[in-house]
Amino acid sequence: MSDNGHQQNGHENVPSRQRRRFEGISSRTYEHPADRSALVALRKLSGFDTVFKALSGLLPERSLRLLFLSDSVRVSDAQFAHLNTMLRDACHILDLEKVPPMYVAQDPQPNAMCIGLDEPIIVVTTGLVELLDEEEMRAVVGHEVGHALSGHAVYRTILLFLTNLALRVAWIPLGNIAIMAIVTALREWFRKSELSADRAGLLVGQDLKASMRGLMKLAGGNHLHEMNVDAFLEQAEEYEAGGDLRDSVLKILNTLPRTHPFTTVRAAELKKWAESRDYQRIMDGHYPRRTEDKETSVSDSFRQSAASYATDVKNSKDPLMKLVSDIAGGAGDLGGRVRRGFGGFAGGTPKDQTAPNDRTTPEDRTSPKDQPPRDSTPEDDD
């Protein structure tokens, strides 16, 4: 479809260009395998269905709608017209029939969200609108429309409510533990859903450079002349591969309280997907349709996710993931490797360290024919 650029409210004038429309597209097309599997696991969480049904009637959704209606600016042809055009365009490209209401909220912190139980609502902050140019903002709007198409808004609303509730009942020992167990599971899914929505944003904008620029700005502000995409992606590689097992544990601890993946990680994940055969097939018009959704198998989705996780573990450069991969492959001297990985915690020299003049490791002293295979990992995940 044709997309005419324009200069408005300080946004860049972008050239007209043709972009593909994905008629009848299923959200399965762009959903990260772990997004679907996390939802499956979430629904199997003991007591979750009961809590969900109870919360569906208790959540103040009407209050949220009234709050945004009374204290934010609703996007329309008369207000933030350029955002309204983007929203309708994104819904057209992803073939979402009902255009969700969209609001601009006064907040200097760049942010956007899609919430709601009965019907999704999209909210973007003034900080985000002022930070991004036209094409970068288009990817963000597509990101939020992707959340709406995937049905993410319901679970995101519950997470928002439960997080606030956990703070209020922190003084109740068992009550807080029960709520935080569900919050932790929801956050894990939430992070994966962000990777899915990033892909939806790319399908809408169909401009990888703009998506990369937007993520860089979220990390470093409006200083593109001081930033470089390649260097930014190198940070993601260094983050994944750097350090030892202690750093791997710290990464997990840093990630647990977050609702979003780290920005460099999101950029690397999106670039990898954009360069994949799956993305090219979608752009060529080969993708799952919503009419086929009822025929999909939950067990098949879970197996696909398992395979995705196994591949991620096998290809990961993270020290802990390497160790997991080696355990699955039956690598030798794992005990020594673990002790060396965590040796810094003890502040001393690991017991299995060789003499100063002996630079060989147990792996070096093993002949190639005796070494176990490194690439054999069981395939598991949605």
Side-chain angles (χ1 to χ4, degrees), residues 198-218:
D198 283 344
R199 295 176 177 185
L202 180 58
L203 291 178
V204 168
Q206 297 173 27
D207 184 345
L208 180 60
K209 291 181 179 179
S211 293
M212 292 290 109
R213 290 199 310 268
L215 289 170
M216 281 199 305
K217 283 184 176 181
L218 289 177

mmCIF file with all atom_site columns, all heavy atoms in Angstrom, residues 198-218:
data_model
loop_
_atom_site.group_PDB
_atom_site.id
_atom_site.type_symbol
_atom_site.label_atom_id
_atom_site.label_alt_id
_atom_site.label_comp_id
_atom_site.label_asym_id
_atom_site.label_entity_id
_atom_site.label_seq_id
_atom_site.pdbx_PDB_ins_code
_atom_site.Cartn_x
_atom_site.Cartn_y
_atom_site.Cartn_z
_atom_site.occupancy
_atom_site.B_iso_or_equiv
_atom_site.pdbx_formal_charge
_atom_site.auth_seq_id
_atom_site.auth_comp_id
_atom_site.auth_asym_id
_atom_site.auth_atom_id
_atom_site.pdbx_PDB_model_num
ATOM 1   N N   . ASP A 1 198 ? 8.193  -6.794  18.697 1.00 0.00 ? 198 ASP A N   1
ATOM 2   C CA  . ASP A 1 198 ? 9.243  -6.158  17.895 1.00 0.00 ? 198 ASP A CA  1
ATOM 3   C C   . ASP A 1 198 ? 9.171  -6.646  16.450 1.00 0.00 ? 198 ASP A C   1
ATOM 4   O O   . ASP A 1 198 ? 9.354  -5.876  15.495 1.00 0.00 ? 198 ASP A O   1
ATOM 5   C CB  . ASP A 1 198 ? 10.626 -6.472  18.475 1.00 0.00 ? 198 ASP A CB  1
ATOM 6   C CG  . ASP A 1 198 ? 10.951 -5.644  19.711 1.00 0.00 ? 198 ASP A CG  1
ATOM 7   O OD1 . ASP A 1 198 ? 10.259 -4.635  19.952 1.00 0.00 ? 198 ASP A OD1 1
ATOM 8   O OD2 . ASP A 1 198 ? 11.877 -6.024  20.453 1.00 0.00 ? 198 ASP A OD2 1
ATOM 9   N N   . ARG A 1 199 ? 8.902  -7.941  16.298 1.00 0.00 ? 199 ARG A N   1
ATOM 10  C CA  . ARG A 1 199 ? 8.779  -8.507  14.948 1.00 0.00 ? 199 ARG A CA  1
ATOM 11  C C   . ARG A 1 199 ? 7.563  -7.920  14.229 1.00 0.00 ? 199 ARG A C   1
ATOM 12  O O   . ARG A 1 199 ? 7.622  -7.614  13.033 1.00 0.00 ? 199 ARG A O   1
ATOM 13  C CB  . ARG A 1 199 ? 8.663  -10.026 15.030 1.00 0.00 ? 199 ARG A CB  1
ATOM 14  C CG  . ARG A 1 199 ? 9.902  -10.715 15.587 1.00 0.00 ? 199 ARG A CG  1
ATOM 15  C CD  . ARG A 1 199 ? 9.671  -12.213 15.722 1.00 0.00 ? 199 ARG A CD  1
ATOM 16  N NE  . ARG A 1 199 ? 10.860 -12.920 16.180 1.00 0.00 ? 199 ARG A NE  1
ATOM 17  C CZ  . ARG A 1 199 ? 10.948 -14.247 16.277 1.00 0.00 ? 199 ARG A CZ  1
ATOM 18  N NH1 . ARG A 1 199 ? 9.900  -14.998 15.959 1.00 0.00 ? 199 ARG A NH1 1
ATOM 19  N NH2 . ARG A 1 199 ? 12.068 -14.814 16.697 1.00 0.00 ? 199 ARG A NH2 1
ATOM 20  N N   . ALA A 1 200 ? 6.450  -7.784  14.958 1.00 0.00 ? 200 ALA A N   1
ATOM 21  C CA  . ALA A 1 200 ? 5.251  -7.178  14.366 1.00 0.00 ? 200 ALA A CA  1
ATOM 22  C C   . ALA A 1 200 ? 5.548  -5.753  13.922 1.00 0.00 ? 200 ALA A C   1
ATOM 23  O O   . ALA A 1 200 ? 5.094  -5.312  12.859 1.00 0.00 ? 200 ALA A O   1
ATOM 24  C CB  . ALA A 1 200 ? 4.102  -7.206  15.370 1.00 0.00 ? 200 ALA A CB  1
ATOM 25  N N   . GLY A 1 201 ? 6.311  -5.014  14.730 1.00 0.00 ? 201 GLY A N   1
ATOM 26  C CA  . GLY A 1 201 ? 6.680  -3.651  14.367 1.00 0.00 ? 201 GLY A CA  1
ATOM 27  C C   . GLY A 1 201 ? 7.482  -3.601  13.083 1.00 0.00 ? 201 GLY A C   1
ATOM 28  O O   . GLY A 1 201 ? 7.317  -2.694  12.258 1.00 0.00 ? 201 GLY A O   1
ATOM 29  N N   . LEU A 1 202 ? 8.346  -4.592  12.889 1.00 0.00 ? 202 LEU A N   1
ATOM 30  C CA  . LEU A 1 202 ? 9.137  -4.651  11.657 1.00 0.00 ? 202 LEU A CA  1
ATOM 31  C C   . LEU A 1 202 ? 8.254  -4.985  10.461 1.00 0.00 ? 202 LEU A C   1
ATOM 32  O O   . LEU A 1 202 ? 8.442  -4.448  9.368  1.00 0.00 ? 202 LEU A O   1
ATOM 33  C CB  . LEU A 1 202 ? 10.255 -5.691  11.803 1.00 0.00 ? 202 LEU A CB  1
ATOM 34  C CG  . LEU A 1 202 ? 11.168 -5.876  10.591 1.00 0.00 ? 202 LEU A CG  1
ATOM 35  C CD1 . LEU A 1 202 ? 11.848 -4.562  10.203 1.00 0.00 ? 202 LEU A CD1 1
ATOM 36  C CD2 . LEU A 1 202 ? 12.210 -6.952  10.857 1.00 0.00 ? 202 LEU A CD2 1
ATOM 37  N N   . LEU A 1 203 ? 7.269  -5.865  10.659 1.00 0.00 ? 203 LEU A N   1
ATOM 38  C CA  . LEU A 1 203 ? 6.353  -6.202  9.567  1.00 0.00 ? 203 LEU A CA  1
ATOM 39  C C   . LEU A 1 203 ? 5.529  -4.992  9.146  1.00 0.00 ? 203 LEU A C   1
ATOM 40  O O   . LEU A 1 203 ? 5.184  -4.844  7.974  1.00 0.00 ? 203 LEU A O   1
ATOM 41  C CB  . LEU A 1 203 ? 5.418  -7.345  9.983  1.00 0.00 ? 203 LEU A CB  1
ATOM 42  C CG  . LEU A 1 203 ? 6.056  -8.726  10.155 1.00 0.00 ? 203 LEU A CG  1
ATOM 43  C CD1 . LEU A 1 203 ? 5.016  -9.734  10.610 1.00 0.00 ? 203 LEU A CD1 1
ATOM 44  C CD2 . LEU A 1 203 ? 6.720  -9.190  8.857  1.00 0.00 ? 203 LEU A CD2 1
ATOM 45  N N   . VAL A 1 204 ? 5.217  -4.127  10.106 1.00 0.00 ? 204 VAL A N   1
ATOM 46  C CA  . VAL A 1 204 ? 4.446  -2.919  9.791  1.00 0.00 ? 204 VAL A CA  1
ATOM 47  C C   . VAL A 1 204 ? 5.334  -1.873  9.129  1.00 0.00 ? 204 VAL A C   1
ATOM 48  O O   . VAL A 1 204 ? 5.000  -1.308  8.082  1.00 0.00 ? 204 VAL A O   1
ATOM 49  C CB  . VAL A 1 204 ? 3.784  -2.348  11.059 1.00 0.00 ? 204 VAL A CB  1
ATOM 50  C CG1 . VAL A 1 204 ? 3.239  -0.944  10.790 1.00 0.00 ? 204 VAL A CG1 1
ATOM 51  C CG2 . VAL A 1 204 ? 2.671  -3.263  11.543 1.00 0.00 ? 204 VAL A CG2 1
ATOM 52  N N   . GLY A 1 205 ? 6.476  -1.571  9.736  1.00 0.00 ? 205 GLY A N   1
ATOM 53  C CA  . GLY A 1 205 ? 7.359  -0.540  9.193  1.00 0.00 ? 205 GLY A CA  1
ATOM 54  C C   . GLY A 1 205 ? 8.140  -0.996  7.990  1.00 0.00 ? 205 GLY A C   1
ATOM 55  O O   . GLY A 1 205 ? 8.441  -0.211  7.093  1.00 0.00 ? 205 GLY A O   1
ATOM 56  N N   . GLN A 1 206 ? 8.502  -2.290  7.982  1.00 0.00 ? 206 GLN A N   1
ATOM 57  C CA  . GLN A 1 206 ? 9.291  -2.882  6.895  1.00 0.00 ? 206 GLN A CA  1
ATOM 58  C C   . GLN A 1 206 ? 10.554 -2.064  6.614  1.00 0.00 ? 206 GLN A C   1
ATOM 59  O O   . GLN A 1 206 ? 10.945 -1.851  5.472  1.00 0.00 ? 206 GLN A O   1
ATOM 60  C CB  . GLN A 1 206 ? 8.413  -3.043  5.650  1.00 0.00 ? 206 GLN A CB  1
ATOM 61  C CG  . GLN A 1 206 ? 7.254  -4.001  5.901  1.00 0.00 ? 206 GLN A CG  1
ATOM 62  C CD  . GLN A 1 206 ? 6.239  -4.100  4.788  1.00 0.00 ? 206 GLN A CD  1
ATOM 63  O OE1 . GLN A 1 206 ? 6.569  -3.869  3.624  1.00 0.00 ? 206 GLN A OE1 1
ATOM 64  N NE2 . GLN A 1 206 ? 5.004  -4.463  5.121  1.00 0.00 ? 206 GLN A NE2 1
ATOM 65  N N   . ASP A 1 207 ? 11.162 -1.614  7.714  1.00 0.00 ? 207 ASP A N   1
ATOM 66  C CA  . ASP A 1 207 ? 12.387 -0.818  7.641  1.00 0.00 ? 207 ASP A CA  1
ATOM 67  C C   . ASP A 1 207 ? 13.243 -1.198  8.858  1.00 0.00 ? 207 ASP A C   1
ATOM 68  O O   . ASP A 1 207 ? 13.068 -0.642  9.941  1.00 0.00 ? 207 ASP A O   1
ATOM 69  C CB  . ASP A 1 207 ? 12.047 0.666   7.649  1.00 0.00 ? 207 ASP A CB  1
ATOM 70  C CG  . ASP A 1 207 ? 13.273 1.561   7.480  1.00 0.00 ? 207 ASP A CG  1
ATOM 71  O OD1 . ASP A 1 207 ? 14.408 1.063   7.632  1.00 0.00 ? 207 ASP A OD1 1
ATOM 72  O OD2 . ASP A 1 207 ? 13.092 2.771   7.208  1.00 0.00 ? 207 ASP A OD2 1
ATOM 73  N N   . LEU A 1 208 ? 14.161 -2.136  8.671  1.00 0.00 ? 208 LEU A N   1
ATOM 74  C CA  . LEU A 1 208 ? 14.972 -2.629  9.781  1.00 0.00 ? 208 LEU A CA  1
ATOM 75  C C   . LEU A 1 208 ? 15.826 -1.521  10.382 1.00 0.00 ? 208 LEU A C   1
ATOM 76  O O   . LEU A 1 208 ? 15.997 -1.457  11.609 1.00 0.00 ? 208 LEU A O   1
ATOM 77  C CB  . LEU A 1 208 ? 15.866 -3.785  9.312  1.00 0.00 ? 208 LEU A CB  1
ATOM 78  C CG  . LEU A 1 208 ? 16.778 -4.404  10.387 1.00 0.00 ? 208 LEU A CG  1
ATOM 79  C CD1 . LEU A 1 208 ? 15.952 -4.973  11.533 1.00 0.00 ? 208 LEU A CD1 1
ATOM 80  C CD2 . LEU A 1 208 ? 17.688 -5.472  9.772  1.00 0.00 ? 208 LEU A CD2 1
ATOM 81  N N   . LYS A 1 209 ? 16.347 -0.632  9.548  1.00 0.00 ? 209 LYS A N   1
ATOM 82  C CA  . LYS A 1 209 ? 17.183 0.443   10.059 1.00 0.00 ? 209 LYS A CA  1
ATOM 83  C C   . LYS A 1 209 ? 16.400 1.340   11.018 1.00 0.00 ? 209 LYS A C   1
ATOM 84  O O   . LYS A 1 209 ? 16.921 1.769   12.047 1.00 0.00 ? 209 LYS A O   1
ATOM 85  C CB  . LYS A 1 209 ? 17.746 1.270   8.896  1.00 0.00 ? 209 LYS A CB  1
ATOM 86  C CG  . LYS A 1 209 ? 18.781 0.534   8.051  1.00 0.00 ? 209 LYS A CG  1
ATOM 87  C CD  . LYS A 1 209 ? 19.314 1.425   6.940  1.00 0.00 ? 209 LYS A CD  1
ATOM 88  C CE  . LYS A 1 209 ? 20.363 0.699   6.110  1.00 0.00 ? 209 LYS A CE  1
ATOM 89  N NZ  . LYS A 1 209 ? 20.872 1.549   4.997  1.00 0.00 ? 209 LYS A NZ  1
ATOM 90  N N   . ALA A 1 210 ? 15.149 1.615   10.689 1.00 0.00 ? 210 ALA A N   1
ATOM 91  C CA  . ALA A 1 210 ? 14.326 2.447   11.557 1.00 0.00 ? 210 ALA A CA  1
ATOM 92  C C   . ALA A 1 210 ? 14.069 1.748   12.888 1.00 0.00 ? 210 ALA A C   1
ATOM 93  O O   . ALA A 1 210 ? 14.101 2.377   13.953 1.00 0.00 ? 210 ALA A O   1
ATOM 94  C CB  . ALA A 1 210 ? 12.997 2.772   10.879 1.00 0.00 ? 210 ALA A CB  1
ATOM 95  N N   . SER A 1 211 ? 13.819 0.437   12.838 1.00 0.00 ? 211 SER A N   1
ATOM 96  C CA  . SER A 1 211 ? 13.604 -0.321  14.072 1.00 0.00 ? 211 SER A CA  1
ATOM 97  C C   . SER A 1 211 ? 14.858 -0.293  14.940 1.00 0.00 ? 211 SER A C   1
ATOM 98  O O   . SER A 1 211 ? 14.784 -0.140  16.162 1.00 0.00 ? 211 SER A O   1
ATOM 99  C CB  . SER A 1 211 ? 13.220 -1.768  13.742 1.00 0.00 ? 211 SER A CB  1
ATOM 100 O OG  . SER A 1 211 ? 11.961 -1.836  13.111 1.00 0.00 ? 211 SER A OG  1
ATOM 101 N N   . MET A 1 212 ? 16.024 -0.434  14.319 1.00 0.00 ? 212 MET A N   1
ATOM 102 C CA  . MET A 1 212 ? 17.285 -0.395  15.053 1.00 0.00 ? 212 MET A CA  1
ATOM 103 C C   . MET A 1 212 ? 17.524 0.990   15.662 1.00 0.00 ? 212 MET A C   1
ATOM 104 O O   . MET A 1 212 ? 17.944 1.115   16.811 1.00 0.00 ? 212 MET A O   1
ATOM 105 C CB  . MET A 1 212 ? 18.454 -0.745  14.116 1.00 0.00 ? 212 MET A CB  1
ATOM 106 C CG  . MET A 1 212 ? 18.493 -2.172  13.619 1.00 0.00 ? 212 MET A CG  1
ATOM 107 S SD  . MET A 1 212 ? 18.916 -3.380  14.899 1.00 0.00 ? 212 MET A SD  1
ATOM 108 C CE  . MET A 1 212 ? 17.332 -4.167  15.074 1.00 0.00 ? 212 MET A CE  1
ATOM 109 N N   . ARG A 1 213 ? 17.215 2.021   14.893 1.00 0.00 ? 213 ARG A N   1
ATOM 110 C CA  . ARG A 1 213 ? 17.402 3.389   15.400 1.00 0.00 ? 213 ARG A CA  1
ATOM 111 C C   . ARG A 1 213 ? 16.517 3.628   16.623 1.00 0.00 ? 213 ARG A C   1
ATOM 112 O O   . ARG A 1 213 ? 16.948 4.230   17.608 1.00 0.00 ? 213 ARG A O   1
ATOM 113 C CB  . ARG A 1 213 ? 17.068 4.417   14.320 1.00 0.00 ? 213 ARG A CB  1
ATOM 114 C CG  . ARG A 1 213 ? 18.027 4.493   13.159 1.00 0.00 ? 213 ARG A CG  1
ATOM 115 C CD  . ARG A 1 213 ? 17.886 5.818   12.413 1.00 0.00 ? 213 ARG A CD  1
ATOM 116 N NE  . ARG A 1 213 ? 16.499 6.143   12.071 1.00 0.00 ? 213 ARG A NE  1
ATOM 117 C CZ  . ARG A 1 213 ? 15.913 5.816   10.933 1.00 0.00 ? 213 ARG A CZ  1
ATOM 118 N NH1 . ARG A 1 213 ? 16.581 5.128   10.015 1.00 0.00 ? 213 ARG A NH1 1
ATOM 119 N NH2 . ARG A 1 213 ? 14.654 6.174   10.693 1.00 0.00 ? 213 ARG A NH2 1
ATOM 120 N N   . GLY A 1 214 ? 15.273 3.166   16.535 1.00 0.00 ? 214 GLY A N   1
ATOM 121 C CA  . GLY A 1 214 ? 14.355 3.365   17.649 1.00 0.00 ? 214 GLY A CA  1
ATOM 122 C C   . GLY A 1 214 ? 14.845 2.696   18.917 1.00 0.00 ? 214 GLY A C   1
ATOM 123 O O   . GLY A 1 214 ? 14.782 3.280   20.010 1.00 0.00 ? 214 GLY A O   1
ATOM 124 N N   . LEU A 1 215 ? 15.359 1.473   18.799 1.00 0.00 ? 215 LEU A N   1
ATOM 125 C CA  . LEU A 1 215 ? 15.873 0.769   19.970 1.00 0.00 ? 215 LEU A CA  1
ATOM 126 C C   . LEU A 1 215 ? 17.116 1.455   20.529 1.00 0.00 ? 215 LEU A C   1
ATOM 127 O O   . LEU A 1 215 ? 17.296 1.543   21.748 1.00 0.00 ? 215 LEU A O   1
ATOM 128 C CB  . LEU A 1 215 ? 16.181 -0.684  19.608 1.00 0.00 ? 215 LEU A CB  1
ATOM 129 C CG  . LEU A 1 215 ? 14.952 -1.577  19.356 1.00 0.00 ? 215 LEU A CG  1
ATOM 130 C CD1 . LEU A 1 215 ? 15.361 -2.912  18.762 1.00 0.00 ? 215 LEU A CD1 1
ATOM 131 C CD2 . LEU A 1 215 ? 14.162 -1.781  20.649 1.00 0.00 ? 215 LEU A CD2 1
ATOM 132 N N   . MET A 1 216 ? 17.969 1.952   19.636 1.00 0.00 ? 216 MET A N   1
ATOM 133 C CA  . MET A 1 216 ? 19.156 2.674   20.112 1.00 0.00 ? 216 MET A CA  1
ATOM 134 C C   . MET A 1 216 ? 18.761 3.934   20.870 1.00 0.00 ? 216 MET A C   1
ATOM 135 O O   . MET A 1 216 ? 19.360 4.265   21.891 1.00 0.00 ? 216 MET A O   1
ATOM 136 C CB  . MET A 1 216 ? 20.062 3.037   18.933 1.00 0.00 ? 216 MET A CB  1
ATOM 137 C CG  . MET A 1 216 ? 20.918 1.890   18.428 1.00 0.00 ? 216 MET A CG  1
ATOM 138 S SD  . MET A 1 216 ? 22.338 2.465   17.443 1.00 0.00 ? 216 MET A SD  1
ATOM 139 C CE  . MET A 1 216 ? 21.545 3.459   16.212 1.00 0.00 ? 216 MET A CE  1
ATOM 140 N N   . LYS A 1 217 ? 17.738 4.635   20.378 1.00 0.00 ? 217 LYS A N   1
ATOM 141 C CA  . LYS A 1 217 ? 17.296 5.856   21.060 1.00 0.00 ? 217 LYS A CA  1
ATOM 142 C C   . LYS A 1 217 ? 16.716 5.538   22.432 1.00 0.00 ? 217 LYS A C   1
ATOM 143 O O   . LYS A 1 217 ? 16.870 6.323   23.371 1.00 0.00 ? 217 LYS A O   1
ATOM 144 C CB  . LYS A 1 217 ? 16.266 6.583   20.199 1.00 0.00 ? 217 LYS A CB  1
ATOM 145 C CG  . LYS A 1 217 ? 16.863 7.353   19.032 1.00 0.00 ? 217 LYS A CG  1
ATOM 146 C CD  . LYS A 1 217 ? 15.787 8.127   18.298 1.00 0.00 ? 217 LYS A CD  1
ATOM 147 C CE  . LYS A 1 217 ? 16.368 8.982   17.184 1.00 0.00 ? 217 LYS A CE  1
ATOM 148 N NZ  . LYS A 1 217 ? 15.308 9.751   16.489 1.00 0.00 ? 217 LYS A NZ  1
ATOM 149 N N   . LEU A 1 218 ? 16.030 4.395   22.553 1.00 0.00 ? 218 LEU A N   1
ATOM 150 C CA  . LEU A 1 218 ? 15.505 4.006   23.861 1.00 0.00 ? 218 LEU A CA  1
ATOM 151 C C   . LEU A 1 218 ? 16.638 3.765   24.850 1.00 0.00 ? 218 LEU A C   1
ATOM 152 O O   . LEU A 1 218 ? 16.486 3.965   26.055 1.00 0.00 ? 218 LEU A O   1
ATOM 153 C CB  . LEU A 1 218 ? 14.646 2.744   23.729 1.00 0.00 ? 218 LEU A CB  1
ATOM 154 C CG  . LEU A 1 218 ? 13.293 2.914   23.036 1.00 0.00 ? 218 LEU A CG  1
ATOM 155 C CD1 . LEU A 1 218 ? 12.592 1.573   22.921 1.00 0.00 ? 218 LEU A CD1 1
ATOM 156 C CD2 . LEU A 1 218 ? 12.413 3.918   23.782 1.00 0.00 ? 218 LEU A CD2 1
#
